[in-house]
Amino acid sequence: MTTYSGLTTLEGTLDPATGTFNTLETLNMPTHATGDFVPGGTVTVPEYDPGEFTYVGYGPDGWIGTSDTWGTVYFTKTAFADAPASFPYETGAFPYYAANVTAGGTIDPATLTFTVDEVDNMPTEVMGDFAPGGVLDVPEYVPGEFTYVGYGPSGWIGYSDTWGYVYFTTDAFADVPATFTYSTGAFVVCFLAGTRIATPAGETAIEDLAVGDLVVTADGRAAPVRWVGVQTVMTTFADRLRTFPVRIAAGALGHNLPARDLLVSPDHALFLDGVLVQAGALLNGTTIVRETAMPERFTYFHVELDDHSLILAEGVPTETFLDTVTRRRFDNWAEHEALYGPIPAPTSEMAMPRIKSARQLPRWLRGGGGTPPRTPGPIRDERSTARVGSSS
């Protein structure tokens, strides 16, 4: 949960047509808010009673919440005397991060590894563009301009010509690791926890699968799990269009599939009507939507078999891990390296067309009518290095 400390509160109104907050009253009232700073998220402000607000958006240096009791309120670090009469606001997630500790170090782009040289017990609060190349101002540093590089297990990495590479983390001073892998914000191709995967013994939650467990493939085989990749996503730093999960409602694909709501990353492919279709191409605003109210951090899981195959997730044939994405973007990449060595044998992609955008969809999936294909039966298993498009 994110915590934000403000100096001043502004009560006012929103004009959605112009994206403007108009101040009605300014209060010299410090606050300490905690919660999910994403659209629709609940944020608790103990200085108010009742103190539950629904997050709406953010302004130049603070966030906006609504309450049935208190109306629309802007919580800001701006001093009382400098509070604006109006200002533009955004409706996205709050681009703010409060860290406990900073760690200077070096990065190895080849292995996506950060090596810590020095740790400082230095709290920081930053609001800005947490995207590759984004510029962030850290007022606790002089000069305080950093370029966003990526994120680690519990914080973000910035670069400054003066300060070099610095990791800003919520870890305690004693818990900062000597080295860790980081992400540059690249996309992920995985399932969310709780997704049920078919096994010979029945359905199993994906997070409960382990190396050697058997899963059922779409062509009827019982295949052993080679590895289960685990990847933590921090919403503050993530590219939401490429990382926030797609929710496919139960029955949305026809034939009562998926059996339950299925949540996968946008670039994860499902086998539909003889082709691999990436989930992001299926968005229709009703039965297949992008999740928006995600917690501060969430975890994806991905199953690897000995080959690129189709397993059954909530009854839907979905692809397994294909090593065109480096395993070092996963939290547990070292586990795979310990099992199979640093350079495992490459996996060939299934020789199937891959759909990445809505315009390539079959007519029935675009909502243009027609009949969904029959429930997938035995699938011809062909391997080839030739690709239609490229795997994510």
Side-chain angles (χ1 to χ4, degrees):
M1 303 285 278
T2 299
T3 299
Y4 177 85
S5 298
L7 296 175
T8 308
T9 59
L10 282 64
E11 297 177 357
T13 60
L14 298 177
D15 183 350
T18 61
T20 304
F21 180 100
N22 297 300
T23 302
L24 299 177
E25 183 176 3
T26 302
L27 303 173
N28 192 4
M29 182 178 179
T31 54
H32 302 83
T34 302
D36 293 324
F37 292 85
V38 295
T42 299
V43 181
T44 300
V45 184
E47 291 80 7
Y48 278 75
D49 186 15
E52 186 172 287
F53 286 78
T54 299
Y55 176 88
V56 174
Y58 62 93
D61 66 349
W63 66 279
I64 300 168
T66 61
S67 159
D68 290 340
T69 303
W70 305 106
T72 303
V73 181
Y74 178 53
F75 301 86
T76 173
K77 292 185 181 296
T78 299
F80 178 87
D82 298 326
S86 65
F87 58 84
Y89 72 92
E90 300 286 342
T91 56
F94 192 26
Y96 167 84
Y97 192 77
N100 301 321
V101 172
T102 61
T106 58
I107 66 169
D108 182 348
T111 62
L112 294 177
T113 302
F114 186 100
T115 301
V116 174
D117 295 330
E118 183 179 0
V119 180
D120 293 315
N121 197 5
M122 181 177 180
T124 56
E125 295 184 58
V126 180
M127 183 173 170
D129 185 8
F130 290 100
V135 177
L136 297 155
D137 182 58
V138 184
E140 293 80 5
Y141 280 75
V142 180
E145 186 174 288
F146 284 79
T147 300
Y148 177 85
V149 174
Y151 63 91
S154 57
W156 65 281
I157 300 168
Y159 176 79
S160 158
D161 289 340
T162 302
W163 304 106
Y165 290 98
V166 179
Y167 178 49
F168 301 83
T169 173
T170 55
D171 284 341
F173 182 89
D175 296 333
V176 177
T179 63
F180 58 85
T181 55
Y182 67 92
S183 171
T184 56
F187 58 81
V188 291
V189 283
C190 312
F191 302 98
L192 276 187
T195 302
R196 298 185 303 187
I197 306 297
T199 77
E203 291 185 312
T204 299
I206 191 168
E207 65 269 27
D208 293 333
L209 290 175
V211 173
D213 288 351
L214 295 178
V215 295
V216 175
T217 64
D219 58 1
R221 294 178 293 131
V225 172
R226 179 178 172 85
W227 182 60
V228 179
V230 179
Q231 186 170 24
T232 300
V233 176
M234 299 186 69
T235 56
T236 301
F237 314 128
D239 180 341
R240 287 161 174 76
L241 293 179
R242 302 179 75 180
T243 59
F244 272 35
V246 172
R247 179 182 292 272
I248 303 170
L253 301 176
H255 303 290
N256 297 317
L257 293 176
R260 299 192 313 164
D261 285 9
L262 175 62
L263 289 102
V264 298
S265 59
D267 292 286
H268 199 116
L270 291 64
F271 180 77
L272 302 172
D273 206 8
V275 296
L276 293 173
V277 183
Q278 293 183 183
L282 294 169
L283 294 168
N284 61 19
T286 54
T287 59
I288 304 176
V289 298
R290 190 187 311 280
E291 291 287 276
T292 56
M294 295 301 292
E296 183 179 4
R297 66 177 66 192
F298 61 93
T299 303
Y300 278 120
F301 297 82
H302 210 335
V303 176
E304 181 180 31
L305 304 184
D306 289 332
D307 56 8
H308 186 217
S309 296
L310 297 169
I311 57 176
L312 301 175
E314 305 297 351
V316 179
T318 57
E319 69 176 332
T320 58
F321 180 76
L322 183 63
D323 59 0
T324 55
V325 177
T326 175
R327 291 182 181 83
R328 286 184 177 267
R329 290 179 183 155
F330 290 88
D331 302 351
N332 61 333
W333 65 269
E335 175 190 44
H336 189 282
E337 193 167 293
L339 289 169
Y340 306 112
I343 308 177
T347 303
S348 296
E349 184 177 0
M350 290 180 289
M352 295 179 181
R354 179 179 290 267
I355 290 178
K356 294 185 175 184
S357 66
R359 63 181 176 80
Q360 298 172 305
L361 289 172
R363 185 165 176 256
W364 73 272
L365 280 172
R366 292 199 306 269
T371 304
R374 62 183 176 83
T375 302
I379 296 170
R380 186 178 177 187
D381 186 14
E382 296 180 349
R383 308 284 160 185
S384 172
T385 55
R387 293 177 170 82
V388 178
S390 60
S391 177
S392 54

